[in-house]
Amino acid sequence: MALSSCGSVKTDPQGRELLEHGTPLFPAACYHDNITQADVSWHWHEELEVLVVETGTARVAVNGTDRMVNQGEGFFFNTGVLHSIRPAGAEVCRLRSIVFHSRLVGGSMDSIIWQKYLEPLLSDPCRPWVYFTNLQAWERDASVAIQEAWQACVFETEGFEFTVRERLSRLIFLLAKNCPKTEKRPSEKALRDGERIKAMLRYIQGHYAEELTLAKIAQSAAVSKNECLRCFQSMIGSTPIQYVKQIRIQKAAELLASTDRKISDIGMECGFQEMSYFAKTFRELKGCTPGAFRRRL
C-alpha cells in the first residue's frame, strides 16, 4: 500500500474530497504529512479518519472548534465532518493518518458489529470528532491502535490486512465503550450554520480565481453579509476574505511545488492581479516569498 501525503486535498463542487483512499478490496490508506509545508485545507469525506501527531503541534479545526493536538496525541473524525489541519507554530509538524471506510471494520449492515458499534457512532451528531489526550488509559490505547495500524499499512508484511482491520476495530470498540451515545444534540442553529458554511466554502472553492466580494459569498448561501461574517467566524474562525486569501495561496503553493511555471503566471491564475500583493500575502501566510518557497522545496 503506497504511503503518501494528503497535504492539499482536491474536492468536488460540494466540498467532498475526491481522493480515493485505498482500494475497493481494502478501503484504507495511510498518509505521512508535513503540514508545515502544506496545510490540510477544509474538506470532508465519507470515510472515517484517524491521526496521531508524530512531531510538533497541530491545530485541528472541526465544527467551529479548534484543538491543539500535541506530539503523541490523536484525533478521530467521523464520516462527513468538515475539518482542516494546520501547524500550531513555526516548528515542523508531521502527522501519521489513516483514512478508511467503515465497512472495513463493520462488514455488512446486517452484522452485529455494524449494528452494535458502528451505526450508533456514525449516526450520532454529538460525536463528530474525538480528541485523544492520552490522559486516560483508553486514550493511550486508542493512540497505540492507530499507530500500529499505520505501521502495518506502511510495511505490508504478510497478513498486514488482518492487523490493520484488528487495530482499527479495537479503536472503534474503545470509542463505543468510552464515548457513549449522548442525548444532547447540536442546536438547530449549529446545524444550519454547518450547511451554510459548506455552501459558501463550495462557492469559494469553485470561484477563488475570480474577483470575490463579501456580497457574492453571502449570496451563494442566501444570507446577509452580516450573517455571512458571523457564520464564518463561528464555524472556522476566519472572515470570508481571509479564507479566500488562504485558498488562493494554497493553490499557488501547489503550483509552485508541482510545476516550473512563472511565478507571475501562477499569481494571476490564483486570483492575484498585483504581483506585489501576491508576494506580500504569500509571505504573510507562508513565511517566505513565492520564489523562496519554490527553492526550499
Side-chain angles (χ1 to χ4, degrees), residues 1-2 19-31 47 99-100:
M1 181 176 299
L19 180 64
E20 181 178 356
H21 302 284
T23 68
L25 291 177
F26 193 71
C30 59
Y31 301 92
E47 297 88 348
V99 182
F100 63 100

Side-chain angles (χ1 to χ4, degrees), residues 3-14:
L3 175 66
S4 58
S5 170
C6 269
S8 177
V9 296
K10 302 293 190 296
T11 60
D12 67 10
Q14 286 71 47

Side-chain angles (χ1 to χ4, degrees), residues 198-215:
K198 281 187 176 182
M200 289 185 281
L201 294 183
R202 288 197 296 267
Y203 178 77
I204 293 172
Q205 287 277 353
H207 300 82
Y208 68 89
E210 305 170 12
E211 181 181 355
L212 290 178
T213 64
L214 177 61

Side-chain angles (χ1 to χ4, degrees), residues 34-36 52-59 68-73 86-95:
N34 180 354
I35 60 171
T36 314
V52 170
V53 176
E54 180 183 16
T55 60
T57 300
R59 184 177 181 181
M68 298 300 174
V69 186
N70 299 309
Q71 181 175 333
E73 296 178 340
R86 55 192 185 279
E91 63 179 334
V92 173
C93 183
R94 296 182 183 275
L95 308 177

Side-chain angles (χ1 to χ4, degrees), residues 225-286:
K225 290 188 289 187
N226 285 341
E227 183 64 12
C228 172
L229 287 167
R230 185 202 63 76
C231 192
F232 262 83
Q233 195 61 48
S234 172
M235 296 299 294
I236 66 174
S238 170
T239 68
I241 301 306
Q242 285 172 337
Y243 180 76
V244 171
K245 287 167 58 176
Q246 292 168 3
I247 288 297
R248 286 173 172 170
I249 293 301
Q250 174 193 313
K251 299 296 184 182
E254 291 175 24
L255 293 173
L256 287 167
S258 61
T259 74
D260 58 359
R261 295 173 54 190
K262 291 182 179 180
I263 292 176
S264 58
D265 291 344
I266 290 174
M268 291 286 288
E269 181 174 325
C270 294
F272 293 95
Q273 302 303 314
E274 297 290 336
M275 289 305 99
S276 59
Y277 181 59
F278 173 43
K280 176 184 176 182
T281 306
F282 198 98
R283 180 189 291 274
E284 179 183 305
L285 297 181
K286 293 293 186 181

Side-chain angles (χ1 to χ4, degrees), residues 82-207:
L82 188 68
H83 60 280
S84 70
I85 312 170
R86 55 192 185 279
E91 63 179 334
V92 173
C93 183
R94 296 182 183 275
L95 308 177
R96 293 180 174 184
S97 62
I98 306 174
V99 182
F100 63 100
H101 199 282
S102 53
R103 70 174 181 272
L104 179 66
V105 296
S108 65
M109 297 179 68
D110 58 356
S111 73
I112 187 63
I113 301 297
W114 183 280
Q115 295 180 13
K116 187 174 180 179
Y117 300 105
L118 260 299
E119 196 281 330
L121 177 65
L122 300 177
S123 63
D124 186 1
C126 304
R127 288 184 290 184
W129 53 268
V130 178
Y131 170 35
F132 307 121
T133 64
N134 290 340
L135 295 178
Q136 301 183 62
W138 80 267
E139 293 178 311
R140 293 191 292 273
D141 289 346
S143 294
V144 169
I146 296 170
Q147 298 212 57
E148 290 179 349
W150 189 89
Q151 292 281 357
C153 276
V154 171
F155 293 106
E156 293 188 338
T157 55
E158 185 177 6
F160 79 95
E161 296 92 343
F162 288 100
T163 302
V164 174
R165 185 173 65 176
E166 190 277 328
R167 298 300 189 272
L168 293 178
S169 297
R170 171 68 176 166
L171 173 67
I172 295 300
F173 170 72
L174 289 169
L175 290 172
K177 180 180 178 181
N178 296 281
C179 300
K181 185 175 177 65
T182 64
E183 298 301 324
K184 184 180 179 181
R185 295 176 56 84
S187 66
E188 291 299 321
K189 180 175 178 295
L191 295 174
R192 183 176 65 248
D193 284 352
E195 293 305 310
R196 286 174 173 176
I197 196 69
K198 281 187 176 182
M200 289 185 281
L201 294 183
R202 288 197 296 267
Y203 178 77
I204 293 172
Q205 287 277 353
H207 300 82

